[in-house]
C-alpha cells in the first residue's frame, strides 16, 4: 500500500496518508485562489482516519464563505501553513492540500473544478475532466471511492 508523507513549512506538523485519496480535485475557485495566493488548490479528499499525525496537530481557522457553508482551514500553529480543510464541518472527511506532500507531484488531479474562474494563463491537460463549476459524483468518482465516501458520510 502506498503511503504519502507531508507537512508544514516549519516541520512542526507532519502527517502520513495511509492510503490513496478517494479523489483529487484541482480547484480553480476564487476562494482557493485568494486563500492560497496561488492559481488553484490541489485537494486530496480522504477519510480523516487515514491521516496519521506524526507531529503536532494543526489548528482550525474558520473562513468566511459566500455560500454560508462552513469552511475550516487547518494550519500549523507556528508557521501557518495550511495542510488541510474541512468543508461543511464533516469531521470524517478532510481535503488535504496535496502540494504539502514531501513529493508534491505524488497526487495528480483527477478532475478540475470551478474552471469558470480559472486564470487565463493556466492551460489544462485535455485528458483530465474539467467542469465550469462542479460535477456529478456518480459519473466522475471511481466506484470504490464512492463506497468509501458512503462508508463515512452515508448516501448524502
Ligand atoms: Zn509549521
Ligand atoms: Zn476552491
Amino acid at each position: 500500500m502506498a503511503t504519502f508523507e507531508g507537512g508544514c513549512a516549519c516541520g512542526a506538523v507532519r502527517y502520513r496518508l495511509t492510503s490513496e485519496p478517494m479523489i483529487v480535485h484541482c480547484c480553480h475557485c476564487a476562494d482557493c485562489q485568494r486563500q492560497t495566493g496561488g492559481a488553484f488548490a490541489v485537494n486530496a479528499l480522504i477519510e480523516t482516519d487515514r491521516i496519521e499525525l506524526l507531529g503536532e496537530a494543526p489548528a482550525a481557522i474558520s473562513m468566511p464563505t459566500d455560500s454560508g457553508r462552513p469552511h475550516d482551514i487547518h494550519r500549523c500553529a507556528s508557521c501557518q501553513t495550511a495542510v488541510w480543510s474541512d468543508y461543511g464541518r464533516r469531521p470524517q472527511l478532510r481535503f488535504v492540500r496535496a502540494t504539502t506532500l514531501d513529493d508534491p507531484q505524488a497526487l495528480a488531479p483527477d478532475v478540475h473544478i470551478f474552471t469558470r474562474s480559472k486564470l487565463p494563463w493556466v492551460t489544462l491537460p485535455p485528458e483530465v475532466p474539467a467542469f465550469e463549476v462542479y460535477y456529478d459524483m456518480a459519473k466522475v468518482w471511481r466506484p470504490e471511492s464512492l463506497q468509501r465516501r458512503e462508508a463515512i458520510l452515508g448516501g448524502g
Side-chain angles (χ1 to χ4, degrees):
M1 191 163 69
T3 65
F4 308 95
E5 288 192 20
C8 68
C10 78
V13 172
R14 293 289 304 164
Y15 68 85
R16 178 187 298 131
L17 308 183
T18 62
S19 80
E20 299 262 355
M22 293 179 272
I23 192 166
V24 180
H25 285 169
C26 185
C27 185
H28 300 262
C29 83
D31 283 345
C32 284
Q33 289 166 346
R34 182 170 298 281
Q35 289 159 8
T36 63
F40 46 74
V42 184
N43 287 317
L45 280 67
I46 193 165
E47 299 90 333
T48 304
D49 64 8
R50 297 190 187 201
I51 304 173
E52 204 178 323
L53 276 175
L54 308 174
E56 288 173 25
I61 294 170
S62 290
M63 302 305 296
T65 60
D66 286 339
S67 63
R69 201 168 161 232
H71 174 206
D72 297 334
I73 299 184
H74 293 233
R75 295 177 176 277
C76 170
S78 302
C79 74
Q80 298 293 316
T81 302
V83 287
W84 51 75
S85 281
D86 174 356
Y87 284 97
R89 302 250 160 82
R90 292 177 291 184
Q92 320 89 314
L93 176 65
R94 292 288 178 257
F95 287 58
V96 175
R97 297 286 169 83
T99 49
T100 63
L101 290 168
D102 296 340
D103 178 5
Q105 62 176 339
L107 296 172
D110 295 304
V111 61
H112 292 266
I113 58 173
F114 289 97
T115 61
R116 66 180 178 190
S117 47
K118 178 184 76 61
L119 296 176
W121 36 263
V122 172
T123 305
L124 302 183
E127 70 277 11
V128 179
F131 297 90
E132 283 274 298
V133 182
Y134 209 68
Y135 58 83
D136 180 354
M137 284 199 309
K139 289 184 182 144
V140 174
W141 284 42
R142 293 179 292 273
E144 158 217 315
S145 293
L146 284 170
Q147 283 170 12
R148 283 169 59 182
R149 186 180 185 279
E150 201 175 323
I152 56 166
L153 296 179

